[in-house]
Amino acid sequence: MTSTNDLQSLLKRIEKATTRLEELSAKRTEQKPSDNSTSISAPSTGGNQAEDASADSKAVREYAASLKPLVDAYVERSDKIGGAVSEQAHIVEKLVAAQQNFIRIAGQTVKPSAAQLPSLLGPQQDAIQQVIELKDNNRASEYFDNLSAVAEGISAFGWVAVDQVPVPYVTDMKESAEFYSNRVLKKWREKDSNQAEWVKAFLSILRELGVYVKEFYKTGLEWNPSGGPVESAAQALQEGHSPASAAPAPAGGAPPPPPPPPPLPSADELERLSTSGSATSGAGDAPNHGALFASINQGGDITRGLRKVEKDQMTHKNPSLRASGTVQGGSDGASATSSAKGGNATSKVERIPKMELQGDKWVVENYGTEHVTIEATKTKQTVYMYNCKGTTLDIKNKLNSVAVDSCQKCGVVFDTLVSQFEIVNCKSVQIQARETVPSILIDRTDGAHIFLSEAARDQTQITTAKASEVNISFPYATESAEDDNYIEQPIPEQIQTLIRDGKLVTTILEHAG
């Protein structure tokens, strides 16, 4: 009886083993490719979409799955607005597709050199530049805040060039976009409900981008150490198809040998190149990124070619040189200085000062050390001051709002504002309210001095973000009339945050002394 049971147990084990072997054989048959099949797919229309999604890594597939639906919703909302907003959205759509292809290249190739990386980043950089230029070319548009929100946030897609920890960079760019998106919500709150959905759609892209980067590339973009050469991927990117389909791997055996090197130039050609190269170098040619990065990689040797400054040429030891503002140097230094000045002179663009009324919007641009006066004729008029240095702007009568953007050492004096005064990307500016102003917004500004009248002192709300050296001066009555004067108070820059009962408690950090 015992031998019969053992025999039955042995037969069951043999049946299980046979079944398992049949299953493995069936799986291998399904996975084995046919000898006559090739996986070369047709080029895509944009050059940035995957032809074979199954060949992509999880990071590439997740990028498309998480961002593409959000981008489609954002483009749909932008098309409803139309004009430059719609055009900008389609550029963003191309940028997302280009970045997906770039991530695919990173997973299939070795890390490129510093000279090769700019060519791979080219499609993304071009798209980002187009988004910003579209905003700059439509400053008079009623949708300028929409264009500015996208132009500020689009730099978040530059995380691929950020080493180590790119997540905070994406977060900073998203916060910059929120500044202008809040203005969009405020402006169109009661006029167009689609604008609120538009803001939500665009910010969701940046939010999801941060989540994606944190999940897959928390310490920076990763390349494939055992991947193929980056040259083939760059060539596929320029020819308009994905790198996966550009150079399919052979079915078996060793890879094909590389092409032979080009023939050496003759002696006549070498002489011609040497003479023409010295005459044409630096005369408006495209920048040589390879030479730039090669110079940077020299490390400490990069300063070997600097000329030593003699004691008689040091301004801190010769007061006469400081007074004249001219340092006498050798011929080499003089020629280098003149060459540098000449290069800057050719590349510098002279912007013409402009002050004009565009609808209900006064535009003041590119002024220097001048005194400019504007007399508002309607309460709904606004003033936009941009790229001025050392300019004093005097605004008379009551109007809606004033915005000062990218100005240095400028002063603005105004009577009464209905809405707000805004300072963005400025350095060392001063504003003075003769009467009242409900709100003052200061963003990304170093140095701002606000002078409030007695009427505006208790009514003005001041909001700052990423601002430093902001001082507020206002009249204040004391017990002694002789001591009545303007009081100057700084806005705190240091804050302290503690965690208490699962919540953040933030207070102003004060120094006792």
Side-chain angles (χ1 to χ4, degrees):
M1 186 70 178
T2 304
S3 60
T4 304
N5 292 336
D6 293 341
L7 182 59
Q8 291 178 351
S9 177
L10 181 60
L11 290 174
K12 289 181 180 180
R13 292 173 61 187
I14 293 174
E15 290 177 355
K16 290 182 179 179
T18 304
T19 305
R20 179 60 177 163
L21 290 173
E22 291 175 350
E23 292 177 354
L24 292 175
S25 177
K27 288 183 179 179
R28 290 181 179 179
T29 303
E30 293 175 358
Q31 294 176 356
K32 184 177 181 181
S34 60
D35 295 337
N36 298 326
S37 63
T38 55
S39 60
I40 302 178
S41 55
S44 63
T45 55
N48 300 321
Q49 298 293 339
E51 285 80 1
D52 188 4
S54 61
D56 287 335
S57 64
K58 182 180 178 181
V60 178
R61 296 195 303 269
E62 187 63 25
Y63 186 92
S66 58
L67 288 182
K68 191 175 186 306
L70 301 178
V71 173
D72 291 343
Y74 158 67
V75 172
E76 181 181 357
R77 295 292 177 182
S78 300
D79 288 341
K80 291 183 178 180
I81 299 175
V85 176
S86 176
E87 182 181 353
Q88 194 180 52
H90 287 282
I91 299 176
V92 175
E93 187 178 25
K94 294 180 181 178
L95 170 62
V96 174
Q99 186 159 103
Q100 179 185 347
N101 210 27
F102 182 81
I103 295 174
R104 181 183 297 113
I105 291 175
Q108 298 174 356
T109 62
V110 297
K111 185 175 182 180
S113 64
Q116 294 171 325
L117 186 60
S119 63
L120 296 176
L121 291 173
Q124 299 175 69
Q125 293 176 340
D126 293 342
I128 293 176
Q129 188 63 29
Q130 290 175 17
V131 168
I132 297 174
E133 289 178 354
L134 192 62
K135 181 262 296 186
D136 292 336
N137 295 335
N138 291 272
R139 294 187 176 276
S141 172
E142 60 177 334
Y143 301 113
F144 180 71
D145 292 334
N146 301 66
L147 301 175
S148 298
V150 178
E152 290 292 331
I154 201 65
S155 298
F157 286 89
W159 67 269
V160 292
V162 178
D163 294 333
Q164 297 181 352
V165 186
V167 178
Y169 173 79
V170 177
T171 303
D172 290 343
M173 296 302 102
K174 174 178 168 292
E175 292 176 353
S176 298
E178 287 176 346
F179 176 81
Y180 285 99
S181 63
N182 290 336
R183 296 182 61 179
V184 173
L185 293 174
K186 184 177 180 181
K187 180 178 181 180
W188 300 97
R189 182 175 302 166
E190 299 178 356
K191 300 178 182 179
D192 187 359
S193 59
N194 181 57
Q195 291 283 351
E197 296 297 328
W198 181 90
V199 170
K200 182 179 178 181
F202 177 69
L203 293 182
S204 65
I205 297 175
L206 303 182
R207 190 180 302 110
E208 187 62 30
L209 180 64
V211 174
Y212 170 82
V213 174
K214 185 176 182 180
E215 180 179 356
F216 290 95
Y217 301 106
K218 190 173 183 179
T219 58
L221 185 67
E222 298 176 357
W223 299 81
N224 189 349
S226 58
V230 74
E231 290 83 359
S232 60
Q235 182 179 1
L237 197 65
Q238 295 175 358
E239 293 178 353
H241 46 79
S242 76
S245 64
L264 294 175
S266 62
D268 295 337
E269 292 178 346
L270 288 175
E271 183 178 1
R272 178 177 54 82
L273 290 174
S274 61
T275 55
S276 61
S278 59
T280 59
S281 60
D285 294 339
N288 189 344
H289 297 288
L292 172 62
F293 286 110
S295 300
I296 295 175
N297 291 332
Q298 291 179 9
D301 294 338
I302 196 172
T303 59
R304 182 175 295 176
L306 296 180
R307 182 178 58 84
K308 181 180 179 181
V309 179
E310 303 296 337
K311 291 184 179 181
D312 59 347
Q313 298 174 349
M314 298 180 181
T315 56
H316 66 283
K317 292 186 177 182
N318 295 275
S320 59
L321 293 178
R322 292 199 301 269
S324 62
T326 303
V327 179
Q328 300 294 336
S331 59
D332 295 341
S335 61
T337 305
S338 61
S339 175
K341 290 182 178 180
N344 293 337
T346 56
S347 60
K348 187 176 180 180
V349 179
E350 189 73 21
R351 298 192 176 185
I352 302 176
K354 179 180 68 174
M355 183 180 70
E356 62 180 0
L357 180 61
Q358 301 174 354
D360 291 327
K361 181 178 181 180
W362 285 95
V363 177
V364 181
E365 294 181 349
N366 309 322
Y367 275 91
T369 55
E370 303 174 55
H371 187 96
V372 182
T373 302
I374 292 178
E375 293 190 7
T377 57
K378 299 179 182 178
T379 306
K380 63 179 181 180
Q381 288 182 347
T382 62
V383 174
Y384 179 74
M385 184 178 182
Y386 174 73
N387 194 36
C388 296
K389 295 183 180 180
T391 309
T392 301
L393 177 61
D394 189 359
I395 305 173
K396 299 183 181 299
N397 303 328
K398 185 177 182 180
L399 71 162
N400 189 302
S401 63
V402 177
V404 180
D405 186 3
S406 303
C407 295
Q408 297 182 18
K409 298 182 180 180
C410 293
V412 181
V413 184
F414 59 93
D415 292 339
T416 303
L417 296 184
V418 177
S419 178
Q420 65 183 10
F421 195 107
E422 180 182 356
I423 304 174
V424 183
N425 291 327
C426 294
K427 292 182 179 180
S428 303
V429 296
Q430 297 183 0
I431 68 171
Q432 178 179 352
R434 296 190 184 98
E435 298 179 17
T436 59
V437 51
S439 175
I440 298 177
L441 281 70
I442 305 174
D443 181 54
R444 288 167 293 169
T445 295
D446 296 327
H449 201 152
I450 314 299
F451 294 88
L452 299 177
S453 64
E454 186 174 0
R457 179 187 59 195
D458 302 325
Q459 301 178 8
T460 303
Q461 177 181 344
I462 301 173
T463 304
T464 60
K466 296 183 180 180
S468 62
E469 302 178 20
V470 180
N471 296 316
I472 312 297
S473 295
F474 52 89
Y476 187 77
T478 59
E479 295 180 358
S480 175
E482 297 179 356
D483 297 333
D484 291 353
N485 203 342
Y486 265 78
I487 295 178
E488 181 177 342
Q489 294 286 342
I491 290 182
E493 298 180 22
Q494 293 182 325
I495 60 175
Q496 185 180 65
T497 302
L498 302 174
I499 301 176
R500 293 289 183 267
D501 299 329
K503 297 181 179 180
L504 297 180
V505 180
T506 302
T507 57
I508 297 175
L509 186 61
E510 298 181 355
H511 297 279

